[in-house]
Amino acid sequence: MSLSVEEARRQVLGLCRRLDAERVPLLQALGRVLAVDVHSDIDIAPFDNAAMDGFAVRAADLAGAGNETPVSLEVIATIAAGSAATVSVGSGQAARIMTGAPVPAGADAVVMVEHTSHEEPEGRWVQVRRAVADGEHIRRRGEEVAVGGRVLSAGEAVGPAAVGLLAATGHAGIQVYRRPRVAVLSTGDELVEVTERPGPGRIRNSNSYTLAAQVLAAGGVPIRFPIVPDEPEAIRAAFRRAAAEADFIVASGGVSVGDFDYVKPVLESLGEMIFCEVAMRPGKSQTLGAIDGVPFFGLSGSPTAALVGFEIFVRPALRLLQGRSALDRPRAVARLAHEVTKKADRRYFLRARLTRADEDRLSVALAGSQPAAPLTAAHQGNCLLVLPEGTSRFPAGTSVEVIRLDMGEEAI
Ligand code: AMP
Ligand code: MG
């Protein structure tokens, strides 16, 4: 019995638990999920400072200032960013101030240099042609966060701005969830390494690299195993080692019903097999199991099926292991650029290319020549065209759903 895609996915995710946390240096937190709330060790801003280059003034002195009625103030100091403000601005006085410099005592606003002009003798007096509100162009101490306040929360993903917040709040390192170590195994007597020229009947082991790249793209750490021949003992040994070393096992090949497809019996003898068929295409033969508590996902060896199966089942599982809550890529509705026919019984996930037909309409067409050039088609595509079970013919112009591979799960 084939499982529905939803049920299969539910079961895959059901086997996965968020991994433990580790402390990493600040920059390595990029793209990871915070395991702790982050608090600031200082006020930010740490002191009242100028948001503009100009003059620190007392707003009351400039009441009524305008182009026709400029107000002259005595300039008593120049305060650069990085200096400590030691002067005090009294009534009728101003201090030249640079962006980021501390606002001196007595001043309660900054007037932009653009609204001022100098009076002779050069630099001693300034004419201001604009009134200012109390507090104008001053960034207040503690305005962004007060000392001890929370700037980031556990469960949030760390982007470049969060890295900046960690730095601003004194965190040289931080606790994030561990990246899953993912064993990538390719089984098949026909496979040769990338450095070899395939002899008669042999092909290069491309899946190992495609899948390792997908693991990396999903935030995991791939452990590529040597090619595993179609022999039960060799498969058993590789699976055992994988379960000992990895948080998740991805295998390709040998999950079908061919004479030399030993993955399922070996999985059953070492651990448990949970399902082995999903009502989808490509990738009808896909196997979920566990060995010593480590989730195992067996993809069909066909490069397209492996790629799609990983995207639908393995990628969300790896995200869950990393503590991510968004597990689904955004979907969109597009109009089919041409007719597509399929078997009615299964759901199809076809590599396709989404383009913008006009301002508010997307168009989708199959990418490349799918059975003949699977990796080229996948490379040229930017989405998966989802065609539901129950229908076999989709005429040109039909509204269809696509999964946007060009967008991350956190997009809306
Ligand atoms: P299997 O799932 O073992 O029946 O393999 C299905 C198809 O995928 C066959 O044409 C295999 O030659 C091909 N294949 C299997 N493993 C790989 C691999 N690691 N890289 C590229 N193609 C593969
Ligand atoms: Mg095979």
Side-chain angles (χ1 to χ4, degrees), residues 186-187 190-191 203-207 252-254 256 261 300-303:
S186 299
T187 70
E190 72 276 38
L191 303 177
I203 59 168
R204 285 205 177 104
N205 177 15
S206 60
N207 282 353
S252 93
S256 195
D261 290 340
S300 157
S302 132

Side-chain angles (χ1 to χ4, degrees), residues 83-277:
S83 69
T86 48
V87 295
S88 183
V89 172
S91 185
Q93 295 182 322
R96 278 183 76 80
I97 193 163
M98 310 305 144
T99 303
V103 174
D108 54 20
V110 170
V111 60
M112 289 165 69
V113 71
E114 289 85 341
H115 300 135
T116 67
S117 48
H118 280 300
E119 246 178 56
E120 293 310 320
E122 179 64 42
R124 274 285 287 147
W125 292 87
V126 65
Q127 277 202 331
V128 182
R129 299 184 306 272
R130 171 83 66 102
V132 287
D134 190 5
E136 197 167 319
H137 301 316
I138 292 179
R139 296 187 286 226
R140 290 289 178 200
R141 170 177 183 165
E143 197 169 80
E144 184 157 11
V145 63
V147 58
R150 188 173 64 191
V151 286
L152 296 165
S153 300
E156 289 179 351
V158 177
V163 170
L165 275 175
L166 287 165
T169 54
H171 296 85
I174 195 67
Q175 292 279 119
V176 292
Y177 293 113
R178 210 156 56 69
R179 300 173 66 187
R181 294 164 55 83
V182 183
V184 177
L185 286 84
S186 299
T187 70
D189 282 340
E190 72 276 38
L191 303 177
V192 302
E193 274 305 340
V194 59
T195 46
E196 290 175 54
R197 278 186 82 79
R202 315 294 290 275
I203 59 168
R204 285 205 177 104
N205 177 15
S206 60
N207 282 353
S208 176
Y209 288 91
T210 314
L211 295 170
Q214 286 182 293
V215 169
L216 277 174
V221 179
I223 311 169
R224 284 192 331 96
F225 274 56
I227 292 164
V228 185
D230 288 320
E231 292 159 15
E233 274 318 307
I235 295 172
R236 185 189 311 274
F239 284 7
R240 273 225 173 91
R241 208 192 109 199
E245 292 182 12
D247 302 302
F248 197 100
I249 306 167
V250 185
S252 93
V255 290
S256 195
V257 290
D259 287 351
F260 306 100
D261 290 340
Y262 297 118
V263 165
K264 285 183 279 185
V266 170
L267 178 62
E268 277 178 318
S269 74
L270 280 180
E272 56 166 336
M273 192 186 82
I274 296 164
F275 66 71
C276 63
E277 253 189 45

